Amino acid sequence: MSTQTQTAVVTGASRGFGRAIAAALVAQGTRVLGVARNKAELAAVRDELGAGFTPVVGDATDEALADRVLTEHRPDLLVLNAGVGPHLGAIHEQTWETFTVNWNNDTRQAFTWTRAALRQPLAPGSVVVEMSSGAALKGSPLSGGYASAKAAIRFISGYGAEEADRAGLGIRFVALLPQLTPLTGIGSLAVDGYAARAGVDRETFVRGLTPVLTPELVAKAVLEVATDPDSAAEYVVSGAGLKPLDH
Ligand SMILES: NC(=O)c1ccc[n+]([C@@H]2O[C@H](COP(=O)([O-])OP(=O)(O)OC[C@H]3O[C@@H](n4cnc5c(N)ncnc54)[C@H](OP(=O)(O)O)[C@@H]3O)[C@@H](O)[C@H]2O)c1
């Protein structure tokens, strides 16, 4: 049995995966609150998607913002997708500040909203989808603390699920681990970096990623797990679709 999402919050909704996820949700009749820091980019998404999309300009690591949005809008789907590009460089080319960029942004927003979702709490039947990365499985030697920050998001999702179960909240948590794609901001930067490291051109490197994961496929994956009450806890998302991770 599946249920239609009424109201969703998507962090990082102005570009890339988040924008595609917001578009797919609006297309199926879900009211979407899209969070990002750049006002003009969010306004462009609003122009494209219409009244079903409400821009929320702000930093997704901000606890007060998360509390306010959850209290005012009572979403039954949270998609914690916001992320920044890592500082590209080998470990000895990083500083502690560059190494921890994704911890302080991506992991912090996942922590902030997961905590708020449990403390409020969201209504029974709600779903929290947390965007990790395939890098959490294999590492990403050119991306500083990116892989470890995304691995922490897997743990945060698992801890969220455990506490929701213990308290009988009826909130489902699912972590998605997308493979690298050249089609969005963060992936595109990484593709250039890893292609140069391998000594091949971008096109050759991208051939090794086929079938290429598109933002639309990520959006489809989010819709699938959001409406499947029997979903697994974690999935790899590739150009071939969703693959549950064994536990
Ligand atoms: N692309 C890939 O190959 C790939 C693979 C695996 C996992 N992922 C993960 O998937 C997610 C989306 O990646 P993407 O490639 O679609 O990225 P993208 O195109 O660069 O978009 C990132 C989005 O996150 C927003 N954002 C970043 N930090 C934010 C913050 N503190 N508060 C609010 N919004 C914030 C950005 O808007 P503002 O800058 O305006 O805030 C933007 O809307 C990321 O978490 C990424 O790590 C990507």
mmCIF file of all heavy atoms in Angstrom, residues 71-91:
data_model
loop_
_atom_site.group_PDB
_atom_site.id
_atom_site.type_symbol
_atom_site.label_atom_id
_atom_site.label_comp_id
_atom_site.label_asym_id
_atom_site.label_seq_id
_atom_site.Cartn_x
_atom_site.Cartn_y
_atom_site.Cartn_z
ATOM 1 N N THR A 71 7.229 23.327 12.508
ATOM 2 C CA THR A 71 6.067 23.717 13.313
ATOM 3 C C THR A 71 4.971 24.313 12.440
ATOM 4 O O THR A 71 3.800 23.967 12.574
ATOM 5 C CB THR A 71 6.474 24.777 14.368
ATOM 6 O OG1 THR A 71 7.567 24.270 15.101
ATOM 7 C CG2 THR A 71 5.333 25.097 15.317
ATOM 8 N N GLU A 72 5.373 25.198 11.532
ATOM 9 C CA GLU A 72 4.360 25.913 10.736
ATOM 10 C C GLU A 72 3.733 25.043 9.657
ATOM 11 O O GLU A 72 2.562 25.196 9.334
ATOM 12 C CB GLU A 72 4.989 27.143 10.068
ATOM 13 C CG GLU A 72 5.178 28.295 11.034
ATOM 14 C CD GLU A 72 5.862 29.492 10.378
ATOM 15 O OE1 GLU A 72 5.978 29.547 9.143
ATOM 16 O OE2 GLU A 72 6.305 30.378 11.142
ATOM 17 N N HIS A 73 4.496 24.106 9.099
ATOM 18 C CA HIS A 73 3.998 23.419 7.894
ATOM 19 C C HIS A 73 3.710 21.932 8.082
ATOM 20 O O HIS A 73 3.124 21.321 7.204
ATOM 21 C CB HIS A 73 4.974 23.637 6.736
ATOM 22 C CG HIS A 73 5.146 25.084 6.384
ATOM 23 N ND1 HIS A 73 4.216 25.777 5.654
ATOM 24 C CD2 HIS A 73 6.114 25.975 6.726
ATOM 25 C CE1 HIS A 73 4.613 27.034 5.518
ATOM 26 N NE2 HIS A 73 5.765 27.183 6.171
ATOM 27 N N ARG A 74 4.151 21.338 9.195
ATOM 28 C CA ARG A 74 3.860 19.935 9.495
ATOM 29 C C ARG A 74 4.045 19.016 8.277
ATOM 30 O O ARG A 74 3.101 18.312 7.858
ATOM 31 C CB ARG A 74 2.416 19.784 10.041
ATOM 32 C CG ARG A 74 2.036 20.717 11.172
ATOM 33 C CD ARG A 74 2.845 20.539 12.413
ATOM 34 N NE ARG A 74 2.825 19.164 12.923
ATOM 35 C CZ ARG A 74 3.802 18.654 13.674
ATOM 36 N NH1 ARG A 74 4.847 19.367 14.002
ATOM 37 N NH2 ARG A 74 3.718 17.425 14.098
ATOM 38 N N PRO A 75 5.237 18.988 7.680
ATOM 39 C CA PRO A 75 5.440 18.142 6.495
ATOM 40 C C PRO A 75 5.343 16.653 6.840
ATOM 41 O O PRO A 75 5.661 16.260 7.968
ATOM 42 C CB PRO A 75 6.874 18.484 6.058
ATOM 43 C CG PRO A 75 7.533 18.954 7.323
ATOM 44 C CD PRO A 75 6.476 19.667 8.098
ATOM 45 N N ASP A 76 4.907 15.845 5.864
ATOM 46 C CA ASP A 76 4.953 14.393 6.069
ATOM 47 C C ASP A 76 6.105 13.767 5.283
ATOM 48 O O ASP A 76 6.280 12.547 5.305
ATOM 49 C CB ASP A 76 3.610 13.722 5.737
ATOM 50 C CG ASP A 76 3.012 14.154 4.418
ATOM 51 O OD1 ASP A 76 3.513 15.128 3.820
ATOM 52 O OD2 ASP A 76 2.049 13.519 3.976
ATOM 53 N N LEU A 77 6.904 14.610 4.601
ATOM 54 C CA LEU A 77 8.146 14.137 3.959
ATOM 55 C C LEU A 77 9.228 15.195 4.130
ATOM 56 O O LEU A 77 9.010 16.373 3.827
ATOM 57 C CB LEU A 77 7.910 13.875 2.463
ATOM 58 C CG LEU A 77 9.155 13.525 1.637
ATOM 59 C CD1 LEU A 77 9.774 12.208 2.087
ATOM 60 C CD2 LEU A 77 8.810 13.465 0.143
ATOM 61 N N LEU A 78 10.384 14.760 4.619
ATOM 62 C CA LEU A 78 11.561 15.635 4.705
ATOM 63 C C LEU A 78 12.626 15.029 3.808
ATOM 64 O O LEU A 78 12.960 13.853 3.972
ATOM 65 C CB LEU A 78 12.147 15.611 6.118
ATOM 66 C CG LEU A 78 11.628 16.491 7.221
ATOM 67 C CD1 LEU A 78 12.562 16.375 8.437
ATOM 68 C CD2 LEU A 78 11.567 17.927 6.743
ATOM 69 N N VAL A 79 13.160 15.821 2.882
ATOM 70 C CA VAL A 79 14.262 15.333 2.049
ATOM 71 C C VAL A 79 15.490 16.185 2.379
ATOM 72 O O VAL A 79 15.554 17.372 2.029
ATOM 73 C CB VAL A 79 13.920 15.421 0.544
ATOM 74 C CG1 VAL A 79 15.049 14.798 -0.284
ATOM 75 C CG2 VAL A 79 12.590 14.725 0.242
ATOM 76 N N LEU A 80 16.436 15.582 3.092
ATOM 77 C CA LEU A 80 17.604 16.312 3.606
ATOM 78 C C LEU A 80 18.758 16.154 2.622
ATOM 79 O O LEU A 80 19.604 15.272 2.754
ATOM 80 C CB LEU A 80 17.943 15.805 5.010
ATOM 81 C CG LEU A 80 16.750 15.857 5.977
ATOM 82 C CD1 LEU A 80 17.166 15.388 7.366
ATOM 83 C CD2 LEU A 80 16.134 17.255 6.021
ATOM 84 N N ASN A 81 18.754 17.032 1.636
ATOM 85 C CA ASN A 81 19.608 16.880 0.454
ATOM 86 C C ASN A 81 20.688 17.955 0.346
ATOM 87 O O ASN A 81 21.632 17.796 -0.421
ATOM 88 C CB ASN A 81 18.670 16.911 -0.770
ATOM 89 C CG ASN A 81 19.376 17.239 -2.059
ATOM 90 O OD1 ASN A 81 19.984 16.366 -2.676
ATOM 91 N ND2 ASN A 81 19.318 18.504 -2.486
ATOM 92 N N ALA A 82 20.588 19.047 1.118
ATOM 93 C CA ALA A 82 21.510 20.179 0.930
ATOM 94 C C ALA A 82 22.961 19.734 1.096
ATOM 95 O O ALA A 82 23.302 18.973 1.995
ATOM 96 C CB ALA A 82 21.196 21.290 1.941
ATOM 97 N N GLY A 83 23.800 20.235 0.213
ATOM 98 C CA GLY A 83 25.222 19.902 0.303
ATOM 99 C C GLY A 83 26.045 20.897 -0.491
ATOM 100 O O GLY A 83 25.538 21.542 -1.408
ATOM 101 N N VAL A 84 27.310 21.017 -0.112
ATOM 102 C CA VAL A 84 28.236 21.892 -0.846
ATOM 103 C C VAL A 84 29.329 21.043 -1.476
ATOM 104 O O VAL A 84 29.589 19.908 -1.056
ATOM 105 C CB VAL A 84 28.880 22.958 0.081
ATOM 106 C CG1 VAL A 84 27.852 24.012 0.476
ATOM 107 C CG2 VAL A 84 29.529 22.326 1.306
ATOM 108 N N GLY A 85 29.968 21.616 -2.478
ATOM 109 C CA GLY A 85 31.085 20.921 -3.120
ATOM 110 C C GLY A 85 32.254 20.839 -2.154
ATOM 111 O O GLY A 85 32.559 21.807 -1.462
ATOM 112 N N PRO A 86 32.898 19.669 -2.086
ATOM 113 C CA PRO A 86 34.072 19.575 -1.221
ATOM 114 C C PRO A 86 35.238 20.358 -1.801
ATOM 115 O O PRO A 86 35.252 20.666 -2.996
ATOM 116 C CB PRO A 86 34.383 18.066 -1.240
ATOM 117 C CG PRO A 86 33.786 17.544 -2.492
ATOM 118 C CD PRO A 86 32.600 18.424 -2.816
ATOM 119 N N HIS A 87 36.202 20.699 -0.954
ATOM 120 C CA HIS A 87 37.442 21.288 -1.450
ATOM 121 C C HIS A 87 38.238 20.162 -2.090
ATOM 122 O O HIS A 87 38.606 19.196 -1.416
ATOM 123 C CB HIS A 87 38.221 21.902 -0.278
ATOM 124 C CG HIS A 87 39.525 22.484 -0.687
ATOM 125 N ND1 HIS A 87 39.633 23.735 -1.265
ATOM 126 C CD2 HIS A 87 40.778 21.976 -0.646
ATOM 127 C CE1 HIS A 87 40.899 23.977 -1.546
ATOM 128 N NE2 HIS A 87 41.611 22.923 -1.180
ATOM 129 N N LEU A 88 38.465 20.262 -3.403
ATOM 130 C CA LEU A 88 39.134 19.161 -4.101
ATOM 131 C C LEU A 88 40.644 19.242 -3.910
ATOM 132 O O LEU A 88 41.272 20.258 -4.211
ATOM 133 C CB LEU A 88 38.789 19.196 -5.593
ATOM 134 C CG LEU A 88 37.372 18.744 -5.961
ATOM 135 C CD1 LEU A 88 37.157 18.854 -7.460
ATOM 136 C CD2 LEU A 88 37.077 17.332 -5.476
ATOM 137 N N GLY A 89 41.202 18.169 -3.398
ATOM 138 C CA GLY A 89 42.650 18.106 -3.194
ATOM 139 C C GLY A 89 42.980 16.869 -2.390
ATOM 140 O O GLY A 89 42.143 16.367 -1.633
ATOM 141 N N ALA A 90 44.171 16.343 -2.592
ATOM 142 C CA ALA A 90 44.611 15.167 -1.834
ATOM 143 C C ALA A 90 44.722 15.542 -0.354
ATOM 144 O O ALA A 90 44.739 16.729 -0.002
ATOM 145 C CB ALA A 90 45.942 14.682 -2.370
ATOM 146 N N ILE A 91 44.823 14.538 0.487
ATOM 147 C CA ILE A 91 44.796 14.767 1.937
ATOM 148 C C ILE A 91 45.848 15.791 2.389
ATOM 149 O O ILE A 91 45.558 16.666 3.203
ATOM 150 C CB ILE A 91 44.950 13.414 2.704
ATOM 151 C CG1 ILE A 91 44.847 13.597 4.208
ATOM 152 C CG2 ILE A 91 46.238 12.681 2.344
ATOM 153 C CD1 ILE A 91 43.468 13.851 4.705
#
